[in-house]
Amino acid sequence: MSKAGKIGCVVLVVLALLVIIGALRAIGIYNGFVRGREAVDSAWAQVENVYQRRYDLIPNLVETVKGYASHERETLQAVTEARAKVGGVTQLDANNLTPENLAQFQQAQAGLTSALQRLMVVVERYPDLKASENFIRLQDELAGTENRIAVERRRFNELVQSYNQNLRIFPNMIFAGIFGFTPKPYFQADEQAQAAPKVEF
């Protein structure tokens, strides 16, 4: 074999190795995207799970309050209506997590949170209700659920940050476009959370 033939073989081997290394790198990047998206989807499912827990607790809470404060119909109705609105958007598929869909989900959840806060203000007027063992248990479960919601939303945002960061770094950003991976939206604080609460004595 001539010297030129040997050089040609070496060049072909080097090119083949570069192609193999590039393909392995692309496979690794793609698999990283898939793992990241699955982690975000799993975290979203857990966010929905804790919101569903709160959603399921509300009828029991309303019925307990109704037994003691039946004439507080307007507040009880507001909670029931807010719960119904949440029921319409609770099942937000992780694949459809657009900023608009997430904002709609958060708006419904904020309405329910506001209605529950009004319900707790009503409860303050009824010492017998506050002392009811059933109400205390439900209130504790609701408080625990609210804590879980905060934890799961934080975890979701951490995973979204990691996933989005992975999509945007070079050369991943090139492959993200080729493979059709897009950034996921973050859970954001409600607009009301930006203002300090008004406390009156």
Side-chain angles (χ1 to χ4, degrees):
M1 184 181 285
S2 69
K3 189 172 183 177
K6 288 181 183 178
I7 291 174
C9 283
V10 169
V11 168
L12 286 175
V13 168
V14 168
L15 286 176
L17 285 174
L18 288 175
V19 167
I20 291 170
I21 290 170
L24 290 174
R25 176 74 174 134
I27 290 168
I29 289 172
Y30 178 84
N31 289 341
F33 291 160
V34 170
R35 280 191 295 275
R37 183 176 60 195
E38 289 301 315
V40 169
D41 292 352
S42 174
W44 177 252
Q46 189 56 28
V47 167
E48 284 189 315
N49 179 42
V50 291
Y51 272 119
Q52 183 67 44
R53 177 178 162 79
R54 177 172 80 165
Y55 182 82
D56 293 343
L57 281 172
I58 290 170
N60 294 332
L61 188 64
V62 168
E63 286 303 313
T64 302
V65 172
K66 198 184 288 185
Y68 286 87
S70 58
H71 60 282
E72 300 284 357
R73 189 178 329 229
E74 186 179 311
T75 303
L76 295 171
Q77 185 174 349
V79 171
T80 303
E81 288 171 3
R83 182 178 182 270
K85 284 181 186 174
V86 165
V89 295
T90 296
Q91 299 304 320
L92 178 58
D93 187 82
N95 295 322
N96 296 327
L97 277 179
T98 63
E100 297 80 21
N101 289 345
L102 192 55
Q104 182 182 8
F105 179 87
Q106 286 181 258
Q107 184 179 10
Q109 294 295 344
L112 183 56
T113 298
S114 177
L116 285 172
Q117 288 170 342
R118 286 193 307 273
L119 181 66
M120 291 305 149
V121 168
V122 165
V123 165
E124 292 298 317
R125 296 184 213 146
Y126 300 93
D128 291 344
L129 172 58
K130 285 174 38 179
S132 161
E133 188 175 314
N134 191 29
F135 178 77
I136 291 170
R137 183 181 54 77
L138 286 169
Q139 192 176 22
D140 287 346
E141 283 187 46
L142 190 59
T145 300
E146 294 297 333
N147 288 337
R148 288 183 189 143
I149 287 170
V151 167
E152 294 302 336
R153 286 192 314 199
R154 180 184 47 91
R155 183 172 175 268
F156 172 79
N157 278 347
E158 288 171 355
L159 289 170
V160 166
Q161 178 188 15
S162 175
Y163 172 75
N164 289 348
Q165 204 171 31
N166 191 31
L167 291 183
R168 291 183 174 129
I169 60 174
F170 187 82
N172 294 9
M173 62 193 292
I174 296 167
F175 291 104
I178 292 169
F179 296 136
F181 288 89
T182 57
K184 299 279 188 176
Y186 289 97
F187 237 112
Q188 306 220 350
D190 298 326
E191 289 182 19
Q192 297 93 346
Q194 304 296 328
K198 186 176 180 182
V199 179
E200 295 179 355
F201 294 100

